[in-house]
Amino acid sequence: MKAIVAALAEQQAELSDLLSGLRDADWQRPSRCDGWTVADVVLHLAQTNELASASASGRMAEALDELARGPRHTGSVDDGADFLVARERGQPGPVIRDRWVESADALCRRLEGADPHERLEWVAGQVSARTLASTRIAETWIHAGDVGSAFGWAPAPTDRLWHVARLAWRTLPYAFASAGRDLTGPVAFELRAPSGEAWRFAPGSEALTIVRGDAVELCLVAARRA
């Protein structure tokens, strides 16, 4: 877990560096997320970090109740995220930034000592602690880009995206099911990493489909940002 948590901490630090230079008015700029400001996106990241920490501590349900401050939203995951942000919208940017930093640090401390195979509750069902850490890398990278779009900035393409690409490959069946479709046969990814290294994610059996190309582009597609 130490290697993946180290990657998560680096991804979080990149966003924290961007946020440290924001002025009051910057927090109200529109982000790449439709209807959300920069402040809204960072608030969402802080909230989901807190939920991830709670999940790793075995108190996911209680944390959701605390954030919702009443009956939980029963719609889609995206609708639920919007509901939680709306409940706490309007706080000053520096307050949100401090909450983000605290939540990021707390999550890394909690995950570092976790059993990577431990099953934890998460928004779409149970996941391993390792997968939970990967989702936090992915979401931090995605939303850093959403925030950065307001300032003409984008996250650096680093080999931390290995974790995002692997997550995209492992969750293909979930992605197809969410779209109301069936995934037919095993799939492999053969990707070119930002460093130029070759990444291959392949099933134990021969793949019927092989996706080849640039890892950054693949991750953007998986994140629904391209």
Side-chain angles (χ1 to χ4, degrees):
M1 283 295 287
K2 287 188 176 180
I4 193 170
V5 172
L8 173 58
E10 290 171 2
Q11 198 67 58
Q12 293 168 334
E14 185 180 43
L15 177 56
S16 294
D17 287 345
L18 173 65
L19 299 180
S20 66
L22 299 191
R23 298 167 297 182
D24 289 346
D26 291 336
W27 290 89
Q28 299 310 313
R29 292 194 188 195
S31 75
R32 190 167 55 184
C33 296
D34 187 33
W36 277 11
T37 64
V38 167
D40 291 336
V41 175
V42 180
L43 174 60
H44 167 68
L45 279 173
Q47 289 174 334
T48 47
N49 275 347
E50 291 163 359
L51 287 176
S53 289
S55 173
S57 301
R59 52 180 307 274
M60 177 75 172
E62 295 92 323
L64 273 173
D65 289 341
E66 290 167 7
L67 275 177
R69 302 176 194 167
R72 295 186 206 166
H73 194 276
T74 56
S76 69
V77 171
D78 288 343
D79 288 344
D82 196 57
F83 170 77
L84 292 179
V85 167
R87 294 287 296 178
E88 297 190 276
R89 180 175 281 130
Q91 300 174 54
V95 172
I96 295 173
R97 181 185 60 228
D98 290 348
R99 180 174 173 182
W100 148 255
V101 171
E102 182 179 347
S103 71
D105 291 345
L107 177 59
C108 285
R109 289 195 302 271
R110 182 63 188 84
L111 287 176
E112 192 169 28
D115 177 347
H117 305 294
E118 181 183 0
R119 304 300 293 177
L120 303 173
E121 294 296 329
W122 194 231
V123 290
Q126 284 197 339
V127 297
S128 69
R130 175 179 177 170
T131 297
L132 180 59
S134 296
T135 67
R136 299 316 301 157
I137 293 174
E139 187 157 10
T140 304
W141 174 72
I142 293 165
H143 285 317
D146 295 336
V147 168
S149 67
F151 310 100
W153 175 92
T158 72
D159 279 5
R160 290 192 296 271
L161 291 178
W162 182 91
H163 300 283
V164 181
R166 180 180 182 273
L167 182 67
W169 174 69
R170 287 180 59 84
T171 56
L172 276 173
Y174 172 79
F176 270 72
S178 296
R181 301 176 63 182
D182 293 324
L183 178 63
T184 303
V187 178
F189 285 176
E190 294 180 356
L191 305 174
R192 183 176 62 259
S195 65
E197 181 184 349
W199 291 345
R200 178 174 172 81
F201 305 98
S205 55
E206 184 178 356
L208 296 181
T209 302
I210 301 176
V211 179
R212 297 184 176 95
D214 181 76
V216 177
E217 291 180 1
L218 183 282
C219 290
L220 287 170
V221 170
R224 297 186 294 177
R225 296 301 188 273

